[in-house]
């Protein structure tokens, strides 16, 4: 009897990673590579910049550690970014020669929007990485765009000695009674003021609400994000069955085909957790591969307020 052949491994995507070093932090390269490695094999790794500049000195150790090839591009004139042009030319050459299945573009520069649109039109997926202030046209052009702040928040914390936790007011009173020095009230007020959000931290109108590093956008703010709620509800409606239930996997696919989206940009590890956090959907079979969702409005009698 002939031996049974091993089940063949699923073919992975071949990814070309192109980094605009002028607009990307060197300390995030590990997280970016980790994210892309879940999607396929990063067979091409290049970082572009004028490496004679002291501002890019922090990249040297990262380039060596993660086998990223530095591409030197001098500044031919002021106020003109030759690095962007070099990166775009290489992306086009790779598209028609090496023919990778996907590109990773690391930049916060909207000038790459036409490039991303062309790459996608030719059948290549584009995974973008950039800061929260990245212009929306670039974000929306990508197959998926992940904000570096959200990626940093999801990274494992660096171990070290725990920071001292300030005692609550009751303990301070006890400390004072026992003759021990209490916390400096002025220092406490300063720390509280620094932790409080300022008006300048508020998102611009029409932009999705995104959390500070490590924080989740709370339910009320999610519900107030009209663009987000419409995106989620439209995806559920497009994939639901006769009873209104939609598989979360199908919902995610529908969203990915329509827009650049990642639940981690809102502080949630998965789409399922984000859907549940909105409190606008019923959940079924949570914790299983059959997890499904239904718009709560579909189960309400007509005329009943949500």
């Amino acid at each position: 009897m002939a031996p049974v052949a091993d089940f063949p491994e699923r073919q992975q995507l071949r990814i070309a990673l192109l980094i605009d070093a002028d607009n990307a932090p060197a300390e995030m390269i590990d997280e970016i590579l980790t994210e892309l490695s879940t999607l396929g094999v990063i067979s091409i790794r290049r970082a572009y910049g004028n490496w004679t500049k002291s501002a890019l000195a922090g990249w040297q150790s990262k380039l060596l550690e993660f086998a990223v090839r530095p591409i030197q591009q001098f500044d031919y004139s002021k106020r003109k970014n030759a690095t962007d042009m070099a990166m775009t030319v290489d992306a086009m050459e790779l598209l028609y020669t090496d023919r990778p299945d996907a590109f990773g573009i690391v930049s916060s520069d909207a000038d790459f929007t036409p490039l991303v649109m062309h790459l996608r039109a030719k059948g290549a997926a584009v995974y973008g990485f950039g800061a929260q202030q990245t212009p929306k046209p670039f974000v929306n052009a990508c197959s998926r765009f992940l904000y570096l702040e959200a990626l940093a928040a999801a990274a494992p914390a660096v171990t070290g000695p725990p920071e001292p936790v300030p005692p609550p007011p009751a303990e301070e009173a006890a400390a004072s009674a026992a003759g021990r020095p209490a916390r400096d009230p002025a220092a406490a007020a300063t720390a509280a003021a620094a932790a409080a959000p300022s008006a300048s931290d508020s998102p611009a109108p029409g932009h999705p609400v995104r959390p500070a590093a490590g924080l989740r956008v709370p339910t009320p703010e999610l519900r107030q994000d009209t663009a987000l709620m419409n995106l989620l509800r439209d995806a559920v409606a497009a994939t639901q069955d006769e009873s209104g239930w939609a598989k979360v996997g199908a919902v995610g696919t529908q969203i990915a085909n329509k827009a650049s989206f990642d639940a981690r940009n809102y502080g949630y590890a998965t789409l399922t957790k984000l859907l549940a956090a909105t409190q606008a959907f019923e959940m079924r079979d949570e914790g299983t591969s059959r997890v499904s969702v239904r718009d709560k409005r579909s189960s309400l009698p007509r005329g009943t307020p949500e």
Side-chain angles (χ1 to χ4, degrees), residues 53 75-85 109 111:
K53 292 181 176 180
D75 299 327
Y76 294 130
S77 62
K78 294 182 178 180
R79 298 184 297 276
K80 297 292 184 181
N81 197 336
T83 298
D84 291 2
M85 294 298 296
D109 192 341
D111 289 345

Short mmCIF file of all heavy atoms in Angstrom, two decimals, residues 53 75-85 109 111:
data_model
loop_
_atom_site.label_atom_id
_atom_site.label_comp_id
_atom_site.label_asym_id
_atom_site.label_seq_id
_atom_site.Cartn_x
_atom_site.Cartn_y
_atom_site.Cartn_z
N LYS A 53 21.99 61.68 6.40
CA LYS A 53 21.36 62.56 7.38
C LYS A 53 21.42 61.95 8.78
O LYS A 53 21.17 60.76 8.96
CB LYS A 53 19.90 62.82 7.00
CG LYS A 53 19.71 63.65 5.75
CD LYS A 53 18.22 63.87 5.48
CE LYS A 53 17.99 64.77 4.29
NZ LYS A 53 16.54 64.99 4.02
N ASP A 75 19.20 64.03 -1.74
CA ASP A 75 18.24 65.10 -1.99
C ASP A 75 18.75 65.95 -3.15
O ASP A 75 19.75 66.66 -3.01
CB ASP A 75 18.05 65.96 -0.74
CG ASP A 75 17.53 65.16 0.44
OD1 ASP A 75 16.77 64.21 0.21
OD2 ASP A 75 17.90 65.48 1.58
N TYR A 76 18.08 65.87 -4.27
CA TYR A 76 18.53 66.61 -5.44
C TYR A 76 18.23 68.11 -5.32
O TYR A 76 18.93 68.94 -5.88
CB TYR A 76 17.89 66.06 -6.71
CG TYR A 76 18.35 64.65 -7.03
CD1 TYR A 76 17.42 63.66 -7.31
CD2 TYR A 76 19.70 64.32 -7.03
CE1 TYR A 76 17.84 62.36 -7.61
CE2 TYR A 76 20.12 63.03 -7.31
CZ TYR A 76 19.19 62.05 -7.60
OH TYR A 76 19.61 60.78 -7.88
N SER A 77 17.16 68.45 -4.61
CA SER A 77 16.82 69.86 -4.41
C SER A 77 15.99 69.99 -3.16
O SER A 77 15.43 69.01 -2.66
CB SER A 77 16.04 70.41 -5.61
OG SER A 77 14.81 69.72 -5.77
N LYS A 78 15.90 71.18 -2.63
CA LYS A 78 15.11 71.43 -1.43
C LYS A 78 13.62 71.38 -1.76
O LYS A 78 13.20 71.70 -2.86
CB LYS A 78 15.47 72.79 -0.82
CG LYS A 78 16.90 72.87 -0.28
CD LYS A 78 17.17 74.22 0.35
CE LYS A 78 18.58 74.28 0.92
NZ LYS A 78 18.86 75.60 1.55
N ARG A 79 12.85 70.97 -0.73
CA ARG A 79 11.40 70.92 -0.82
C ARG A 79 10.89 69.90 -1.85
O ARG A 79 9.73 69.90 -2.21
CB ARG A 79 10.79 72.30 -1.09
CG ARG A 79 11.07 73.31 0.01
CD ARG A 79 10.37 74.63 -0.29
NE ARG A 79 10.88 75.23 -1.53
CZ ARG A 79 11.98 75.98 -1.59
NH1 ARG A 79 12.68 76.23 -0.48
NH2 ARG A 79 12.36 76.50 -2.73
N LYS A 80 11.79 69.05 -2.37
CA LYS A 80 11.39 67.99 -3.28
C LYS A 80 11.87 66.66 -2.69
O LYS A 80 13.05 66.51 -2.36
CB LYS A 80 12.00 68.19 -4.68
CG LYS A 80 11.54 69.46 -5.38
CD LYS A 80 10.06 69.40 -5.74
CE LYS A 80 9.63 70.64 -6.51
NZ LYS A 80 8.19 70.61 -6.85
N ASN A 81 10.95 65.72 -2.55
CA ASN A 81 11.30 64.46 -1.91
C ASN A 81 11.68 63.43 -2.96
O ASN A 81 10.83 62.75 -3.53
CB ASN A 81 10.12 63.96 -1.07
CG ASN A 81 10.56 62.91 -0.07
OD1 ASN A 81 11.57 62.24 -0.25
ND2 ASN A 81 9.80 62.76 1.00
N ALA A 82 12.97 63.30 -3.21
CA ALA A 82 13.46 62.32 -4.19
C ALA A 82 13.28 60.90 -3.67
O ALA A 82 13.19 59.96 -4.46
CB ALA A 82 14.93 62.59 -4.49
N THR A 83 13.21 60.74 -2.34
CA THR A 83 13.02 59.41 -1.77
C THR A 83 11.70 58.80 -2.22
O THR A 83 11.63 57.62 -2.57
CB THR A 83 13.07 59.48 -0.23
OG1 THR A 83 14.36 59.94 0.18
CG2 THR A 83 12.80 58.12 0.39
N ASP A 84 10.64 59.60 -2.21
CA ASP A 84 9.34 59.11 -2.65
C ASP A 84 9.38 58.62 -4.09
O ASP A 84 8.80 57.58 -4.44
CB ASP A 84 8.28 60.20 -2.52
CG ASP A 84 7.97 60.54 -1.07
OD1 ASP A 84 8.61 59.93 -0.19
OD2 ASP A 84 7.10 61.38 -0.82
N MET A 85 10.06 59.38 -4.95
CA MET A 85 10.16 59.01 -6.36
C MET A 85 10.92 57.71 -6.53
O MET A 85 10.52 56.83 -7.30
CB MET A 85 10.83 60.14 -7.15
CG MET A 85 10.02 61.42 -7.22
SD MET A 85 8.43 61.17 -8.06
CE MET A 85 9.02 60.76 -9.71
N ASP A 109 2.75 59.52 4.13
CA ASP A 109 2.73 60.52 3.05
C ASP A 109 1.66 60.17 2.03
O ASP A 109 1.69 59.10 1.41
CB ASP A 109 4.11 60.55 2.39
CG ASP A 109 4.29 61.75 1.47
OD1 ASP A 109 3.27 62.34 1.07
OD2 ASP A 109 5.45 62.09 1.16
N ASP A 111 1.36 61.22 -0.86
CA ASP A 111 1.87 61.20 -2.23
C ASP A 111 1.91 59.79 -2.81
O ASP A 111 1.98 59.61 -4.02
CB ASP A 111 3.27 61.82 -2.29
CG ASP A 111 3.25 63.32 -2.07
OD1 ASP A 111 2.15 63.92 -2.16
OD2 ASP A 111 4.31 63.90 -1.79
#
